[in-house]
Amino acid sequence: AEVPTKTGLTEAEETALLQDHLIEINDNIERSRRKEISLPINFKYRGKCIKREKCGILRAPGKPLLIVLENCDPTGQDFVIEFRLGVDLRKDIVCLQLFKIMQQLWFENDLKTKMSIYHLVGTGLNQGMVEIVKHSKSLSKIYKEESGPFKALAKSQITNWIQHNGILSEEELLENFLMSCIAYCTATFILGISDRTTENVFIKTNAEVY
């Protein structure tokens, strides 16, 4: 269901409009034979319905949509995706495919690097779906949380955040952090990717960087 464009709406009104239009999708899922859908980003991901109350419009250029789907597996976590409009995702798709190839080559040569490669798919001209990696946060948000207005002066923001949120032993966290940094620094250098900023570099609670 396409959300119609209306001007002069508040953020709350835009969110309510989106959630109202998601009812149609949920109705279509309910009327389907299997009463579930597979997600284009990964056809192994199967959802039973959209959790409308958790969906919204993100504060970012193009106003991407945040969509949350309930997992068909009762023991699995919800699927969270970002639907982007007006953004050409072809370069991102190719880069992720090359990351997967590099990761496979490293493994074949006993280099146990760690790369958290999320799923991404184009669904049309300048539009597509991006998987939101759970249990992660951007460097900019970590700096803000751990350092406040003096983030530029602090030197231990990342360490503090990992220690507060880490789910593994200190040795495992350090291993994950180092090996993921090595992998992504090498891969982005080879591909000439130079847009790594605190806004789009993320860290997971297991200390893996992506």
Side-chain angles (χ1 to χ4, degrees), residues 17 27 47 56 159 188:
L17 182 63
D27 288 343
T159 301
T188 53

Side-chain angles (χ1 to χ4, degrees), residues 123-176:
T123 58
L125 179 62
N126 294 334
Q127 67 178 41
M129 292 182 177
V130 181
E131 178 183 13
I132 301 297
V133 180
K134 302 180 184 69
H135 311 301
S136 65
K137 190 162 290 187
S138 68
L139 289 183
S140 62
K141 290 185 177 180
I142 292 175
Y143 290 157
K144 184 176 180 180
E145 289 180 5
E146 299 294 335
S147 309
F150 301 106
K151 63 182 180 181
L153 303 179
K155 297 182 179 180
S156 57
Q157 309 97 321
I158 297 176
T159 301
N160 291 340
W161 186 82
I162 292 175
Q163 290 176 343
H164 295 160
N165 299 277
I167 56 176
L168 302 172
S169 67
E170 183 176 353
E171 182 178 352
E172 290 174 309
L173 290 171
L174 180 60
E175 175 76 8
N176 287 346

Side-chain angles (χ1 to χ4, degrees), residues 8-201:
L9 296 180
T10 65
E11 182 178 340
E13 289 172 336
E14 288 181 335
T15 300
L17 182 63
L18 167 65
Q19 294 177 351
D20 286 345
H21 280 77
L22 292 176
I23 295 175
E24 180 180 343
I25 298 179
N26 276 341
D27 288 343
N28 289 334
I29 297 173
E30 182 61 29
R31 288 195 297 266
S32 67
R33 182 174 61 86
R34 296 177 60 92
K35 298 187 183 302
E36 63 180 40
I37 58 172
S38 58
L39 302 185
I41 55 172
N42 187 336
F43 287 105
K44 294 181 180 179
Y45 292 174
R46 306 197 68 82
K48 59 189 299 184
C49 69
I50 297 176
K51 292 190 171 182
R52 296 169 46 246
E53 70 284 355
K54 293 188 176 181
C55 300
I57 301 174
L58 300 176
R59 295 181 179 179
K63 293 187 176 181
L65 307 181
L66 181 70
I67 307 296
V68 181
L69 292 98
E70 183 177 353
N71 199 327
C72 285
D73 181 355
T75 63
Q77 296 182 332
D78 293 340
F79 302 118
V80 185
I81 61 174
E82 181 181 323
F83 185 76
R84 298 181 183 178
L85 289 169
V87 179
D88 189 348
L89 297 175
R90 288 176 295 181
K91 288 183 179 179
D92 301 77
I93 294 171
V94 172
C95 285
L96 288 173
Q97 291 173 340
L98 291 173
F99 285 166
K100 291 178 182 179
I101 293 174
M102 291 181 191
Q103 179 83 317
Q104 183 62 37
L105 290 173
W106 287 328
F107 274 20
E108 290 175 357
N109 288 275
D110 295 325
L111 296 174
K112 305 304 180 183
T113 57
K114 296 180 180 293
M115 299 186 78
S116 296
I117 302 176
Y118 54 91
H119 295 94
L120 170 68
V121 66
T123 58
L125 179 62
N126 294 334
Q127 67 178 41
M129 292 182 177
V130 181
E131 178 183 13
I132 301 297
V133 180
K134 302 180 184 69
H135 311 301
S136 65
K137 190 162 290 187
S138 68
L139 289 183
S140 62
K141 290 185 177 180
I142 292 175
Y143 290 157
K144 184 176 180 180
E145 289 180 5
E146 299 294 335
S147 309
F150 301 106
K151 63 182 180 181
L153 303 179
K155 297 182 179 180
S156 57
Q157 309 97 321
I158 297 176
T159 301
N160 291 340
W161 186 82
I162 292 175
Q163 290 176 343
H164 295 160
N165 299 277
I167 56 176
L168 302 172
S169 67
E170 183 176 353
E171 182 178 352
E172 290 174 309
L173 290 171
L174 180 60
E175 175 76 8
N176 287 346
F177 184 79
L178 290 176
M179 297 310 294
S180 61
C181 280
I182 291 171
Y184 267 101
C185 286
T186 302
T188 53
F189 176 78
I190 291 173
L191 297 179
I193 299 173
S194 58
D195 67 341
R196 301 296 85 184
T197 67
T198 57
E199 293 289 341
N200 57 23
V201 174

Side-chain angles (χ1 to χ4, degrees), residues 2-13:
E2 183 179 354
V3 179
T5 301
K6 291 186 178 181
T7 59
L9 296 180
T10 65
E11 182 178 340
E13 289 172 336

